[in-house]
Amino acid sequence: MADPGEGVAPDGTIRTGADRARVPAAFEPLLADAAARAGRSGASLYVYGSVANGTVRPGLSDVDLLSVGLPGAAAAAQRLSARYAGLCRGVEIAAAELPDLADDDAAYGNRAFLRHYCVHLTGPDPSAGLPAFPADARAARGFNGDIDRHRRRWRQALESGTATADRLGVRAARKTLLAVAGLVSVRDRTWTTDRERAARRWGELEPGLAAPLELLLSWATAERRPEPGEVRDALADGGVVAAVAGRFAGLIGLWPDAAQGHQP
């Protein structure tokens, strides 16, 4: 669900609704369990998304966690998903390392994400000394300047058969619409990561992309299952993902090919 607290603060920095006080009590046992697992390894752990901003729907939403330095994050997520299956749809743990917070476009996005979207649960807190980040093109580039790089990887995975079309379609839809949210943020001098708002607004600005963006939105929200032919068209050189990447390159800028990062 959209974060009603997201936007631009009076000083021009990113504002979100992520706050420890907004975490629903029903999710405290899950978070305590996850924090205990991370704490034993000395890793840092954060919660973000709907649990962090209080819009979570018990039984229907995912629980999104971010770890810094946690070994076996995927296995831990599977265990937590099984244990709390009645509380949430699943637990995801995005795994990062301290070098992912270094100084390049990707790391800038990682730091902004950690500062504004994540609620600290346990371990050292690299976000504690970070200033508020401006809601601007640099932040939008830090979050999604890898959109064309991802498109090329998704297309290669589809052609090689190393990933199924439906999974690639959902992944591409979610990431591409976040890039569209960056375009809307910069174009309208606002700040949003709301996929639905972004798709509708950019469709108004560029009517030729309205229908393809609505299709991506239907995949991202699980309203429709991506068909293989549709996914191939979306990832083609003349498809909607390439179009979004092109607009992003022109308005905001893409990461240099050498850039690295693990921003969730």
Side-chain angles (χ1 to χ4, degrees):
M1 293 184 65
D3 177 0
E6 188 176 49
V8 182
D11 64 355
T13 59
I14 296 169
R15 184 190 70 230
T16 73
D19 192 290
R20 190 69 179 85
R22 292 193 175 98
V23 175
F27 289 84
E28 292 294 350
L30 186 159
L31 298 182
D33 192 350
R37 293 170 186 268
R40 287 193 291 269
S41 69
S44 301
L45 190 70
Y46 302 80
V47 61
Y48 66 97
S50 60
V51 175
N53 63 43
T55 63
V56 64
R57 296 177 294 174
L60 299 175
S61 300
D62 293 325
V63 174
D64 296 309
L65 303 174
L66 170 64
S67 65
V68 180
L70 177 64
Q78 290 178 350
R79 290 194 296 269
L80 290 166
S81 295
R83 183 168 185 179
Y84 296 95
L87 180 63
C88 61
R89 189 170 56 182
V91 177
E92 300 288 339
I93 303 180
E97 301 294 337
L98 283 176
D100 299 329
L101 303 176
D103 190 19
D104 60 15
D105 280 335
Y108 187 89
N110 289 336
R111 296 196 300 273
F113 183 81
L114 200 64
R115 170 66 173 78
H116 292 287
Y117 288 87
C118 298
V119 171
H120 180 248
L121 298 175
T122 192
D125 185 8
S127 73
L130 293 175
F133 286 76
D136 60 9
R138 187 179 182 191
R141 183 169 62 250
F143 278 25
N144 291 294
D146 55 349
I147 179 60
D148 195 55
R149 183 186 308 176
H150 276 287
R151 182 187 71 88
R152 297 194 302 265
R153 290 174 180 169
W154 294 327
R155 186 173 177 180
Q156 183 178 30
L158 184 65
E159 292 172 348
S160 65
T162 55
T164 61
D166 57 344
R167 292 188 65 185
L168 281 172
V170 172
R171 196 179 307 162
R174 292 176 63 83
K175 176 69 173 179
T176 302
L177 291 175
L178 283 178
V180 175
L183 290 171
V184 170
S185 295
V186 173
R187 165 61 175 73
D188 289 351
R189 297 185 179 182
T190 184
W191 186 260
T192 182
T193 58
D194 184 341
R195 294 179 176 90
E196 182 174 359
R197 173 185 172 185
R200 302 278 158 77
R201 175 58 178 150
W202 202 260
E204 293 172 355
L205 294 169
E206 197 168 346
L209 288 180
L213 291 176
E214 285 291 336
L215 180 62
L216 294 187
L217 184 62
S218 73
W219 297 351
T221 59
E223 179 183 337
R224 289 186 69 246
R225 182 174 180 175
E227 297 294 334
E230 294 175 330
V231 177
R232 281 194 296 273
D233 290 345
L235 297 179
D237 287 342
V240 60
V241 182
V244 169
R247 308 305 187 271
F248 203 98
L251 183 62
I252 297 172
L254 300 173
W255 296 356
D257 282 341
Q260 299 293 325
H262 301 85
Q263 191 262 326

